[in-house]
Amino acid sequence: MSTVTEAGQQPANPETSEPLLEVDSLRIQYGGVVAIAEISFRIPRGSIVGLIGPNGAGKTSLVDGLMGAHRPSAGRVRFDGADVTGQAAHRLARRGMTRTFQSVELFDDMNVEENLLVAAERPSLWRALAQVLTPIERPGAEAVARAAEAVEIGDILQRHPRELSHGQRKLVGVARALAGRPSLLLLDEPAAGLDTDETALLGKRLRELPQRGITLLLIDHDMSLVLEVCDHILVIDFGELIAEGSPAEIRTNPRVIDAYLGRQGGEGQVARQ
């Protein structure tokens, strides 16, 4: 790919870079309804890959299949070299693969820092005993500090969710996922409901995450965000992968324009929204 990141680094190339996630002929169906029809793709380590498509294209079904919410009827998912097809979300999280949700559900009776700690702590019998014997520092505090720094929410850690704007709540949702120390984060509509300034801020934060060792799969309808942030973009429609490529390639792909984005002004340009 020809796109270069803001930091001047060449982005990961899905054809040559080491894959962190490999999806091979994945098929997801609900009874007789095929939601995903044998999709294959790779997500290189250290990249930001976008997933777009019109409403009903199968984006959520694909994410649910990857994260174990619905077991695929065929195909394989490999994460960091291991077959994780159909594994439950909590097992995937322990391996380093996690997701956010479109609706940010936070604990309103806890402050932001405590919300992040819930995600950062990994309960076990030995950890519980250690906390009883040496209750000096809560487990996960370092992970919370790193997550808060990554999305720059250190100034609101002691505030409660009801005191935050919608944009701030979205950032807290991303930070909560980061507190779990993932190596691959699937972001489901993180820009939904954000205004232009908030979306730009979110994009800046996301663009910096690969430098912290976090690979991203970004699912969003905000095309300005996806085209600006992502190194590589996957496009699905009616459960099929109809195109993939760099943002520049996706902008002018006829199948993408016809299926999803519409034309802007002249010929062959993806609409910027």
Side-chain angles (χ1 to χ4, degrees):
M1 284 178 289
S2 59
T3 306
V4 178
T5 66
E6 291 179 2
Q9 300 174 328
Q10 189 73 18
N13 188 320
E15 298 299 326
T16 60
S17 302
E18 176 192 3
L20 180 60
L21 183 74
E22 299 174 271
V23 178
D24 182 24
S25 300
L26 196 70
R27 181 183 180 90
I28 299 170
Q29 60 186 86
Y30 303 92
V33 178
V34 177
I36 296 295
E38 299 182 357
I39 282 181
S40 300
F41 61 88
R42 293 152 44 105
I43 296 182
R45 192 183 302 273
S47 67
I48 303 180
V49 174
L51 174 64
I52 64 173
N55 288 330
K59 299 185 298 297
T60 298
S61 294
L62 177 58
V63 173
D64 285 347
L66 295 176
M67 293 301 303
H70 187 82
R71 186 171 183 85
S73 56
R76 287 287 177 267
V77 179
R78 294 181 64 83
F79 173 67
D80 205 12
D83 189 338
V84 297
T85 310
Q87 285 196 12
H90 69 278
R91 294 186 181 277
L92 293 172
R94 288 172 183 167
R95 287 181 176 272
M97 177 175 169
T98 189
R99 69 176 293 184
T100 64
F101 293 86
Q102 294 182 28
S103 177
V104 183
E105 300 293 340
L106 303 174
F107 296 106
D108 287 335
D109 58 341
M110 303 168 67
N111 64 28
V112 170
E113 182 178 26
E114 291 166 339
N115 270 274
L116 302 190
L117 278 168
V118 170
E121 294 179 356
R122 297 177 176 174
S124 69
L125 177 60
W126 292 113
R127 193 179 294 276
L129 290 173
Q131 185 65 12
V132 169
L133 296 173
T134 57
I136 299 174
E137 183 177 356
R138 297 191 65 176
E142 184 177 345
V144 167
R146 287 199 300 267
E149 179 188 10
V151 296
E152 298 185 19
I153 59 167
D155 58 332
I156 62 171
L157 285 177
Q158 302 309 312
R159 296 171 63 182
H160 285 73
R162 59 180 174 272
E163 304 174 59
L164 306 179
S165 68
H166 181 67
Q168 288 173 322
R169 289 175 65 92
K170 284 284 191 175
L171 288 175
V172 172
V174 174
R176 182 175 57 183
L178 294 176
R181 301 177 286 279
S183 52
L184 174 63
L185 176 57
L186 286 68
L187 294 161
D188 194 356
E189 301 281 359
L194 302 188
D195 63 28
T196 302
D197 292 338
E198 290 172 330
T199 298
L201 178 61
L202 174 65
K204 179 177 180 293
R205 304 290 182 264
L206 297 182
R207 186 68 261 179
E208 295 168 352
L209 291 181
Q211 301 172 35
R212 297 173 177 266
I214 301 166
T215 302
L216 300 178
L217 176 62
L218 172 63
I219 305 100
D220 211 290
H221 283 295
D222 190 312
M223 290 311 304
S224 62
L225 175 67
V226 174
L227 293 169
E228 184 69 27
V229 168
C230 295
D231 306 316
H232 192 78
I233 299 174
L234 309 168
V235 187
I236 63 174
D237 192 24
F238 293 110
E240 296 182 353
L241 183 65
I242 64 169
E244 65 174 305
S246 69
E249 292 167 336
I250 294 302
R251 264 189 223 280
T252 56
N253 186 293
R255 293 194 68 186
V256 177
I257 294 170
D258 292 340
Y260 179 39
L261 298 170
R263 298 182 183 274
Q264 174 181 296
E267 290 291 320
Q269 283 293 319
V270 165
R272 282 180 173 270
Q273 298 178 359

